[in-house]
Amino acid sequence: MDNPSIFEVELPRFQDDVVERSRQVPVVLLFWTDQVPPAAETKAALERLAHQYQGKFALALSDVAKDQTLAQQLRVQGIPSIRVVKDGQLAEQMEGPQGESVLRQLIDRLTTSPADALKSQLGHYLEIEDYDGALAVLKEAIAAEPNNAGFKVEWADVLLLKGDVDGGRTVLGTIPEEADERERPATRLEILEEAAGMGSLRDALADAEADRNDLDARYRAAVLLAAERRYEDALEEAMAILRQDRTFREDAGRLTMIRIMALMGKGSDVAKRYRRRMFNFLH
């Protein structure tokens, strides 16, 4: 077979090919035969999934028309029949024909790491701004994958979102400079430290409203709004500076927009929209 994750298995090789291999990746063992069309369809669906998942699980095939000894050993009653072996143990089994969507759900359960599941939970807590809940999830995630820089990036950022500037700074110092998305908490720390010396947001907004040409007031408003996570309002103030005077504080309007967009993370629709507006203005 052209995919090393798909192989035929017989009883003499079961221990090495299935049990031992399952300590590295889950092994889905299918009992099948061409003589039973639903079994052949299940085999085809699992083979497609094995190619799509690129080695995240192994597919062991036992053709009962050729040899029934392994099926008898595992007390298989009907065809098709699926046994899942993971970490050397029988983890799950399915009897009868299975649709591809059901098989995909099975593979997802097998191949999603505890840390991946925790990352999904983290997104939920961040969406509802439950930072204590997010920190609890991150504690588990980092325990599961202590060398995962991505989780440390989120940890630093959540601490800063919660207002723990010292804690966020400490965690940020443990993250390699080249780590993906490190820029987000690093920029947030920079914004929070700058905002701390700028007075109140109310005063900055009042000054900016009183004189729309007061770019110092508009800059203060942009930074303080960003610190309060009012990103779209902050981008409007920074965009106004950009339009009015490119030379103000050495292109502060454009640079502030870039910093604010960095706070919003990858995939933000608001950031994409303002990035296009900035690009169109500049070009």
Side-chain angles (χ1 to χ4, degrees), residues 5 100 232 239 275:
S5 295
E100 188 162 334
E232 192 161 1
M239 186 79 203
R275 193 172 285 111

Side-chain angles (χ1 to χ4, degrees), residues 93-272:
Q93 66 183 58
M94 289 181 167
E95 306 296 343
Q98 306 294 333
E100 188 162 334
S101 62
V102 173
L103 295 172
R104 187 180 295 277
Q105 291 173 18
L106 169 67
I107 303 306
D108 285 340
R109 288 199 303 274
L110 295 172
T111 59
T112 300
S113 71
D116 287 338
L118 289 169
K119 194 167 186 178
S120 176
Q121 294 177 36
L122 174 64
H124 166 71
Y125 284 119
L126 291 177
E127 186 176 351
I128 63 175
E129 298 187 359
D130 180 353
Y131 299 125
D132 288 331
L135 288 172
V137 167
L138 283 166
K139 183 178 179 180
E140 291 185 49
I142 291 169
E145 295 186 17
N147 296 321
N148 188 321
F151 289 141
K152 290 186 177 181
V153 165
E154 299 299 341
W155 184 17
D157 205 37
V158 172
L159 287 170
L160 293 169
L161 287 167
K162 191 181 177 185
D164 185 355
V165 174
D166 290 338
R169 185 189 299 109
T170 299
V171 174
L172 190 63
T174 70
I175 304 171
E177 293 282 343
E178 66 276 9
D180 188 37
E181 289 210 68
R182 184 186 187 278
E183 179 188 16
R184 176 161 36 93
T187 302
R188 195 178 308 281
L189 176 62
E190 178 185 289
I191 290 283
L192 289 172
E193 290 179 333
E194 186 175 1
M198 285 185 163
S200 74
L201 173 59
R202 177 182 294 182
D203 289 344
L205 290 173
D207 290 344
E209 184 64 30
D211 182 358
R212 303 307 283 170
N213 295 318
D214 184 348
L215 299 189
D216 281 310
R218 303 200 79 162
Y219 177 76
R220 292 201 320 275
V223 172
L224 288 163
L225 284 164
E228 293 287 331
R229 302 190 294 283
R230 292 172 56 181
Y231 301 127
E232 192 161 1
D233 291 337
L235 284 166
E236 278 295 330
E237 294 295 338
M239 186 79 203
I241 296 170
L242 173 63
R243 285 174 170 158
Q244 193 162 337
D245 186 356
R246 284 289 306 275
T247 67
F248 175 73
R249 296 196 184 187
E250 300 180 346
D251 206 9
R254 180 181 66 86
L255 296 176
T256 301
M257 288 186 74
I258 291 171
R259 288 198 296 163
I260 295 166
M261 289 185 285
L263 299 178
M264 304 168 76
K266 295 179 180 178
S268 166
D269 290 335
V270 172
K272 289 177 184 176

Side-chain angles (χ1 to χ4, degrees), residues 30-48 79-80:
L30 173 67
F31 294 94
W32 76 290
T33 175
D34 269 330
Q35 298 167 11
V36 179
E41 292 168 8
T42 301
K43 172 178 176 284
L46 282 169
E47 286 176 332
R48 286 193 296 271
I79 302 299

Side-chain angles (χ1 to χ4, degrees), residues 57-100:
F57 77 98
L59 175 59
L61 301 172
S62 177
D63 187 343
V64 298
K66 295 180 180 179
D67 186 351
Q68 296 187 13
T69 54
L70 181 57
Q72 292 169 352
Q73 186 77 17
L74 295 182
R75 299 179 182 177
V76 172
Q77 301 296 317
I79 302 299
S81 184
I82 292 172
R83 301 290 187 274
V84 176
V85 185
K86 186 175 183 181
D87 298 324
Q89 302 291 325
L90 180 64
E92 197 162 343
Q93 66 183 58
M94 289 181 167
E95 306 296 343
Q98 306 294 333
E100 188 162 334

